[in-house]
PDB file of all heavy atoms in Angstrom:
ATOM      1  N   VAL A   1       5.008   5.347   8.631  1.00 96.00           N
ATOM      2  CA  VAL A   1       4.676   3.928   8.506  1.00 96.00           C
ATOM      3  C   VAL A   1       3.180   3.736   8.695  1.00 96.00           C
ATOM      4  O   VAL A   1       2.571   4.303   9.606  1.00 96.00           O
ATOM      5  CB  VAL A   1       5.443   3.078   9.549  1.00 96.00           C
ATOM      6  CG1 VAL A   1       5.020   1.613   9.446  1.00 96.00           C
ATOM      7  CG2 VAL A   1       6.949   3.204   9.344  1.00 96.00           C
ATOM      8  N   VAL A   2       2.592   2.929   7.822  1.00 97.00           N
ATOM      9  CA  VAL A   2       1.210   2.480   7.982  1.00 97.00           C
ATOM     10  C   VAL A   2       1.254   0.968   8.121  1.00 97.00           C
ATOM     11  O   VAL A   2       1.749   0.258   7.234  1.00 97.00           O
ATOM     12  CB  VAL A   2       0.327   2.882   6.782  1.00 97.00           C
ATOM     13  CG1 VAL A   2      -1.053   2.250   6.904  1.00 97.00           C
ATOM     14  CG2 VAL A   2       0.221   4.397   6.689  1.00 97.00           C
ATOM     15  N   ARG A   3       0.760   0.448   9.245  1.00 96.00           N
ATOM     16  CA  ARG A   3       0.743  -0.990   9.480  1.00 96.00           C
ATOM     17  C   ARG A   3      -0.549  -1.573   8.902  1.00 96.00           C
ATOM     18  O   ARG A   3      -1.639  -1.161   9.304  1.00 96.00           O
ATOM     19  CB  ARG A   3       0.825  -1.289  10.974  1.00 96.00           C
ATOM     20  CG  ARG A   3       2.185  -0.958  11.597  1.00 96.00           C
ATOM     21  CD  ARG A   3       2.110  -0.999  13.105  1.00 96.00           C
ATOM     22  NE  ARG A   3       3.423  -0.967  13.740  1.00 96.00           N
ATOM     23  CZ  ARG A   3       4.117   0.149  13.947  1.00 96.00           C
ATOM     24  NH1 ARG A   3       3.596   1.324  13.574  1.00 96.00           N
ATOM     25  NH2 ARG A   3       5.314   0.103  14.519  1.00 96.00           N
ATOM     26  N   GLY A   4      -0.389  -2.523   7.986  1.00 96.00           N
ATOM     27  CA  GLY A   4      -1.586  -3.114   7.401  1.00 96.00           C
ATOM     28  C   GLY A   4      -1.277  -3.907   6.146  1.00 96.00           C
ATOM     29  O   GLY A   4      -0.135  -3.977   5.688  1.00 96.00           O
ATOM     30  N   ASP A   5      -2.318  -4.504   5.588  1.00 95.00           N
ATOM     31  CA  ASP A   5      -2.228  -5.356   4.405  1.00 95.00           C
ATOM     32  C   ASP A   5      -2.307  -4.490   3.155  1.00 95.00           C
ATOM     33  O   ASP A   5      -3.314  -3.804   2.918  1.00 95.00           O
ATOM     34  CB  ASP A   5      -3.381  -6.359   4.448  1.00 95.00           C
ATOM     35  CG  ASP A   5      -3.350  -7.350   3.301  1.00 95.00           C
ATOM     36  OD1 ASP A   5      -2.564  -7.163   2.355  1.00 95.00           O
ATOM     37  OD2 ASP A   5      -4.140  -8.323   3.346  1.00 95.00           O
ATOM     38  N   SER A   6      -1.281  -4.562   2.307  1.00 95.00           N
ATOM     39  CA  SER A   6      -1.221  -3.699   1.124  1.00 95.00           C
ATOM     40  C   SER A   6      -2.260  -4.050   0.064  1.00 95.00           C
ATOM     41  O   SER A   6      -2.428  -3.290  -0.896  1.00 95.00           O
ATOM     42  CB  SER A   6       0.171  -3.771   0.493  1.00 95.00           C
ATOM     43  OG  SER A   6       1.152  -3.293   1.375  1.00 95.00           O
ATOM     44  N   THR A   7      -2.941  -5.180   0.201  1.00 95.00           N
ATOM     45  CA  THR A   7      -3.989  -5.508  -0.758  1.00 95.00           C
ATOM     46  C   THR A   7      -5.323  -4.874  -0.360  1.00 95.00           C
ATOM     47  O   THR A   7      -6.310  -5.006  -1.106  1.00 95.00           O
ATOM     48  CB  THR A   7      -4.187  -7.031  -0.871  1.00 95.00           C
ATOM     49  OG1 THR A   7      -4.640  -7.562   0.385  1.00 95.00           O
ATOM     50  CG2 THR A   7      -2.890  -7.714  -1.283  1.00 95.00           C
ATOM     51  N   ARG A   8      -5.364  -4.203   0.774  1.00 96.00           N
ATOM     52  CA  ARG A   8      -6.601  -3.575   1.247  1.00 96.00           C
ATOM     53  C   ARG A   8      -6.631  -2.108   0.860  1.00 96.00           C
ATOM     54  O   ARG A   8      -5.719  -1.344   1.186  1.00 96.00           O
ATOM     55  CB  ARG A   8      -6.717  -3.707   2.762  1.00 96.00           C
ATOM     56  CG  ARG A   8      -6.641  -5.136   3.289  1.00 96.00           C
ATOM     57  CD  ARG A   8      -7.827  -5.949   2.818  1.00 96.00           C
ATOM     58  NE  ARG A   8      -7.808  -7.305   3.385  1.00 96.00           N
ATOM     59  CZ  ARG A   8      -8.706  -8.242   3.085  1.00 96.00           C
ATOM     60  NH1 ARG A   8      -9.671  -7.976   2.227  1.00 96.00           N
ATOM     61  NH2 ARG A   8      -8.619  -9.440   3.630  1.00 96.00           N
ATOM     62  N   ALA A   9      -7.711  -1.723   0.189  1.00 97.00           N
ATOM     63  CA  ALA A   9      -7.803  -0.352  -0.309  1.00 97.00           C
ATOM     64  C   ALA A   9      -7.743   0.668   0.824  1.00 97.00           C
ATOM     65  O   ALA A   9      -7.082   1.698   0.704  1.00 97.00           O
ATOM     66  CB  ALA A   9      -9.090  -0.179  -1.109  1.00 97.00           C
ATOM     67  N   HIS A  10      -8.404   0.377   1.941  1.00 97.00           N
ATOM     68  CA  HIS A  10      -8.431   1.365   3.014  1.00 97.00           C
ATOM     69  C   HIS A  10      -7.057   1.563   3.636  1.00 97.00           C
ATOM     70  O   HIS A  10      -6.736   2.657   4.119  1.00 97.00           O
ATOM     71  CB  HIS A  10      -9.460   0.970   4.093  1.00 97.00           C
ATOM     72  CG  HIS A  10      -9.050  -0.200   4.934  1.00 97.00           C
ATOM     73  ND1 HIS A  10      -9.259  -1.507   4.563  1.00 97.00           N
ATOM     74  CD2 HIS A  10      -8.411  -0.254   6.140  1.00 97.00           C
ATOM     75  CE1 HIS A  10      -8.801  -2.323   5.495  1.00 97.00           C
ATOM     76  NE2 HIS A  10      -8.273  -1.593   6.471  1.00 97.00           N
ATOM     77  N   VAL A  11      -6.218   0.515   3.599  1.00 97.00           N
ATOM     78  CA  VAL A  11      -4.854   0.646   4.122  1.00 97.00           C
ATOM     79  C   VAL A  11      -4.043   1.579   3.216  1.00 97.00           C
ATOM     80  O   VAL A  11      -3.341   2.481   3.685  1.00 97.00           O
ATOM     81  CB  VAL A  11      -4.174  -0.729   4.240  1.00 97.00           C
ATOM     82  CG1 VAL A  11      -2.697  -0.579   4.610  1.00 97.00           C
ATOM     83  CG2 VAL A  11      -4.889  -1.576   5.292  1.00 97.00           C
ATOM     84  N   LEU A  12      -4.155   1.371   1.915  1.00 97.00           N
ATOM     85  CA  LEU A  12      -3.430   2.220   0.978  1.00 97.00           C
ATOM     86  C   LEU A  12      -3.964   3.649   0.998  1.00 97.00           C
ATOM     87  O   LEU A  12      -3.198   4.608   0.840  1.00 97.00           O
ATOM     88  CB  LEU A  12      -3.531   1.644  -0.438  1.00 97.00           C
ATOM     89  CG  LEU A  12      -2.865   0.274  -0.644  1.00 97.00           C
ATOM     90  CD1 LEU A  12      -3.039  -0.194  -2.084  1.00 97.00           C
ATOM     91  CD2 LEU A  12      -1.379   0.331  -0.288  1.00 97.00           C
ATOM     92  N   GLU A  13      -5.243   3.798   1.193  1.00 97.00           N
ATOM     93  CA  GLU A  13      -5.807   5.152   1.299  1.00 97.00           C
ATOM     94  C   GLU A  13      -5.258   5.861   2.535  1.00 97.00           C
ATOM     95  O   GLU A  13      -4.949   7.057   2.503  1.00 97.00           O
ATOM     96  CB  GLU A  13      -7.338   5.075   1.356  1.00 97.00           C
ATOM     97  CG  GLU A  13      -7.970   4.718   0.010  1.00 97.00           C
ATOM     98  CD  GLU A  13      -9.453   4.449   0.116  1.00 97.00           C
ATOM     99  OE1 GLU A  13      -9.924   4.161   1.254  1.00 97.00           O
ATOM    100  OE2 GLU A  13     -10.147   4.510  -0.906  1.00 97.00           O
ATOM    101  N   THR A  14      -5.116   5.125   3.642  1.00 97.00           N
ATOM    102  CA  THR A  14      -4.535   5.700   4.854  1.00 97.00           C
ATOM    103  C   THR A  14      -3.102   6.148   4.606  1.00 97.00           C
ATOM    104  O   THR A  14      -2.643   7.158   5.146  1.00 97.00           O
ATOM    105  CB  THR A  14      -4.566   4.672   6.004  1.00 97.00           C
ATOM    106  OG1 THR A  14      -5.915   4.295   6.263  1.00 97.00           O
ATOM    107  CG2 THR A  14      -3.952   5.252   7.281  1.00 97.00           C
ATOM    108  N   ALA A  15      -2.403   5.404   3.753  1.00 96.00           N
ATOM    109  CA  ALA A  15      -1.017   5.755   3.432  1.00 96.00           C
ATOM    110  C   ALA A  15      -0.922   6.926   2.449  1.00 96.00           C
ATOM    111  O   ALA A  15       0.185   7.404   2.169  1.00 96.00           O
ATOM    112  CB  ALA A  15      -0.303   4.542   2.840  1.00 96.00           C
ATOM    113  N   GLY A  16      -2.067   7.363   1.929  1.00 96.00           N
ATOM    114  CA  GLY A  16      -2.055   8.495   1.003  1.00 96.00           C
ATOM    115  C   GLY A  16      -1.705   8.126  -0.419  1.00 96.00           C
ATOM    116  O   GLY A  16      -1.154   8.938  -1.167  1.00 96.00           O
ATOM    117  N   VAL A  17      -2.049   6.892  -0.823  1.00 96.00           N
ATOM    118  CA  VAL A  17      -1.633   6.433  -2.150  1.00 96.00           C
ATOM    119  C   VAL A  17      -2.239   7.275  -3.269  1.00 96.00           C
ATOM    120  O   VAL A  17      -1.651   7.410  -4.347  1.00 96.00           O
ATOM    121  CB  VAL A  17      -1.988   4.939  -2.334  1.00 96.00           C
ATOM    122  CG1 VAL A  17      -3.485   4.752  -2.486  1.00 96.00           C
ATOM    123  CG2 VAL A  17      -1.248   4.343  -3.519  1.00 96.00           C
ATOM    124  N   SER A  18      -3.389   7.879  -3.027  1.00 95.00           N
ATOM    125  CA  SER A  18      -4.022   8.686  -4.079  1.00 95.00           C
ATOM    126  C   SER A  18      -3.195   9.907  -4.432  1.00 95.00           C
ATOM    127  O   SER A  18      -3.385  10.506  -5.493  1.00 95.00           O
ATOM    128  CB  SER A  18      -5.429   9.117  -3.639  1.00 95.00           C
ATOM    129  OG  SER A  18      -5.360   9.927  -2.480  1.00 95.00           O
ATOM    130  N   ARG A  19      -2.264  10.298  -3.555  1.00 94.00           N
ATOM    131  CA  ARG A  19      -1.402  11.446  -3.824  1.00 94.00           C
ATOM    132  C   ARG A  19      -0.002  11.029  -4.273  1.00 94.00           C
ATOM    133  O   ARG A  19       0.860  11.876  -4.507  1.00 94.00           O
ATOM    134  CB  ARG A  19      -1.279  12.327  -2.561  1.00 94.00           C
ATOM    135  CG  ARG A  19      -2.608  12.821  -2.017  1.00 94.00           C
ATOM    136  CD  ARG A  19      -2.389  13.804  -0.870  1.00 94.00           C
ATOM    137  NE  ARG A  19      -1.613  13.224   0.217  1.00 94.00           N
ATOM    138  CZ  ARG A  19      -2.129  12.477   1.191  1.00 94.00           C
ATOM    139  NH1 ARG A  19      -3.436  12.221   1.192  1.00 94.00           N
ATOM    140  NH2 ARG A  19      -1.376  11.997   2.155  1.00 94.00           N
ATOM    141  N   ALA A  20       0.234   9.740  -4.374  1.00 95.00           N
ATOM    142  CA  ALA A  20       1.581   9.255  -4.646  1.00 95.00           C
ATOM    143  C   ALA A  20       2.012   9.537  -6.078  1.00 95.00           C
ATOM    144  O   ALA A  20       1.217   9.470  -7.020  1.00 95.00           O
ATOM    145  CB  ALA A  20       1.659   7.743  -4.386  1.00 95.00           C
ATOM    146  N   LEU A  21       3.281   9.854  -6.228  1.00 94.00           N
ATOM    147  CA  LEU A  21       3.867   9.976  -7.564  1.00 94.00           C
ATOM    148  C   LEU A  21       4.308   8.619  -8.075  1.00 94.00           C
ATOM    149  O   LEU A  21       4.177   8.310  -9.261  1.00 94.00           O
ATOM    150  CB  LEU A  21       5.072  10.926  -7.525  1.00 94.00           C
ATOM    151  CG  LEU A  21       4.785  12.373  -7.119  1.00 94.00           C
ATOM    152  CD1 LEU A  21       6.087  13.163  -7.063  1.00 94.00           C
ATOM    153  CD2 LEU A  21       3.806  13.006  -8.092  1.00 94.00           C
ATOM    154  N   VAL A  22       4.851   7.784  -7.192  1.00 95.00           N
ATOM    155  CA  VAL A  22       5.308   6.446  -7.543  1.00 95.00           C
ATOM    156  C   VAL A  22       4.965   5.495  -6.398  1.00 95.00           C
ATOM    157  O   VAL A  22       5.120   5.859  -5.229  1.00 95.00           O
ATOM    158  CB  VAL A  22       6.841   6.402  -7.796  1.00 95.00           C
ATOM    159  CG1 VAL A  22       7.297   4.976  -8.090  1.00 95.00           C
ATOM    160  CG2 VAL A  22       7.238   7.319  -8.940  1.00 95.00           C
ATOM    161  N   VAL A  23       4.497   4.309  -6.751  1.00 96.00           N
ATOM    162  CA  VAL A  23       4.252   3.259  -5.765  1.00 96.00           C
ATOM    163  C   VAL A  23       5.195   2.102  -6.084  1.00 96.00           C
ATOM    164  O   VAL A  23       5.283   1.656  -7.231  1.00 96.00           O
ATOM    165  CB  VAL A  23       2.793   2.769  -5.799  1.00 96.00           C
ATOM    166  CG1 VAL A  23       2.593   1.604  -4.825  1.00 96.00           C
ATOM    167  CG2 VAL A  23       1.846   3.925  -5.448  1.00 96.00           C
ATOM    168  N   VAL A  24       5.913   1.616  -5.054  1.00 95.00           N
ATOM    169  CA  VAL A  24       6.881   0.533  -5.226  1.00 95.00           C
ATOM    170  C   VAL A  24       6.371  -0.703  -4.501  1.00 95.00           C
ATOM    171  O   VAL A  24       6.023  -0.634  -3.320  1.00 95.00           O
ATOM    172  CB  VAL A  24       8.266   0.927  -4.673  1.00 95.00           C
ATOM    173  CG1 VAL A  24       9.275  -0.197  -4.918  1.00 95.00           C
ATOM    174  CG2 VAL A  24       8.750   2.228  -5.298  1.00 95.00           C
ATOM    175  N   ILE A  25       6.322  -1.828  -5.212  1.00 95.00           N
ATOM    176  CA  ILE A  25       5.860  -3.091  -4.640  1.00 95.00           C
ATOM    177  C   ILE A  25       7.026  -4.067  -4.629  1.00 95.00           C
ATOM    178  O   ILE A  25       7.615  -4.344  -5.675  1.00 95.00           O
ATOM    179  CB  ILE A  25       4.689  -3.678  -5.446  1.00 95.00           C
ATOM    180  CG1 ILE A  25       3.526  -2.667  -5.483  1.00 95.00           C
ATOM    181  CG2 ILE A  25       4.229  -5.009  -4.855  1.00 95.00           C
ATOM    182  CD1 ILE A  25       2.401  -3.087  -6.421  1.00 95.00           C
ATOM    183  N   GLY A  26       7.343  -4.593  -3.457  1.00 88.00           N
ATOM    184  CA  GLY A  26       8.493  -5.497  -3.338  1.00 88.00           C
ATOM    185  C   GLY A  26       8.131  -6.873  -2.827  1.00 88.00           C
ATOM    186  O   GLY A  26       8.972  -7.553  -2.253  1.00 88.00           O
ATOM    187  N   ASP A  27       6.878  -7.304  -3.025  1.00 86.00           N
ATOM    188  CA  ASP A  27       6.468  -8.614  -2.534  1.00 86.00           C
ATOM    189  C   ASP A  27       7.136  -9.728  -3.333  1.00 86.00           C
ATOM    190  O   ASP A  27       7.261  -9.648  -4.557  1.00 86.00           O
ATOM    191  CB  ASP A  27       4.942  -8.756  -2.632  1.00 86.00           C
ATOM    192  CG  ASP A  27       4.420  -9.868  -1.745  1.00 86.00           C
ATOM    193  OD1 ASP A  27       4.541 -11.041  -2.126  1.00 86.00           O
ATOM    194  OD2 ASP A  27       3.893  -9.554  -0.657  1.00 86.00           O
ATOM    195  N   ASP A  28       7.560 -10.801  -2.651  1.00 81.00           N
ATOM    196  CA  ASP A  28       8.273 -11.890  -3.309  1.00 81.00           C
ATOM    197  C   ASP A  28       7.380 -12.732  -4.218  1.00 81.00           C
ATOM    198  O   ASP A  28       7.864 -13.376  -5.144  1.00 81.00           O
ATOM    199  CB  ASP A  28       8.925 -12.802  -2.268  1.00 81.00           C
ATOM    200  CG  ASP A  28      10.082 -12.134  -1.552  1.00 81.00           C
ATOM    201  OD1 ASP A  28      10.656 -11.196  -2.129  1.00 81.00           O
ATOM    202  OD2 ASP A  28      10.393 -12.534  -0.417  1.00 81.00           O
ATOM    203  N   GLU A  29       6.080 -12.762  -3.932  1.00 90.00           N
ATOM    204  CA  GLU A  29       5.164 -13.593  -4.713  1.00 90.00           C
ATOM    205  C   GLU A  29       4.535 -12.756  -5.829  1.00 90.00           C
ATOM    206  O   GLU A  29       3.848 -11.773  -5.559  1.00 90.00           O
ATOM    207  CB  GLU A  29       4.059 -14.150  -3.817  1.00 90.00           C
ATOM    208  CG  GLU A  29       4.550 -15.120  -2.761  1.00 90.00           C
ATOM    209  CD  GLU A  29       5.144 -16.378  -3.390  1.00 90.00           C
ATOM    210  OE1 GLU A  29       4.659 -16.777  -4.476  1.00 90.00           O
ATOM    211  OE2 GLU A  29       6.085 -16.943  -2.810  1.00 90.00           O
ATOM    212  N   PRO A  30       4.728 -13.141  -7.106  1.00 91.00           N
ATOM    213  CA  PRO A  30       4.159 -12.367  -8.213  1.00 91.00           C
ATOM    214  C   PRO A  30       2.647 -12.217  -8.130  1.00 91.00           C
ATOM    215  O   PRO A  30       2.111 -11.156  -8.469  1.00 91.00           O
ATOM    216  CB  PRO A  30       4.561 -13.191  -9.456  1.00 91.00           C
ATOM    217  CG  PRO A  30       5.765 -13.950  -9.038  1.00 91.00           C
ATOM    218  CD  PRO A  30       5.559 -14.270  -7.588  1.00 91.00           C
TER     219      PRO A  30
END
């Protein structure tokens, strides 16, 4: 788990998004 705002690049970088095969977004607001 990474606690943080998903719109922030540094948060996603901490989560290792650059190595991700798939990213899933489930926010209710388009």
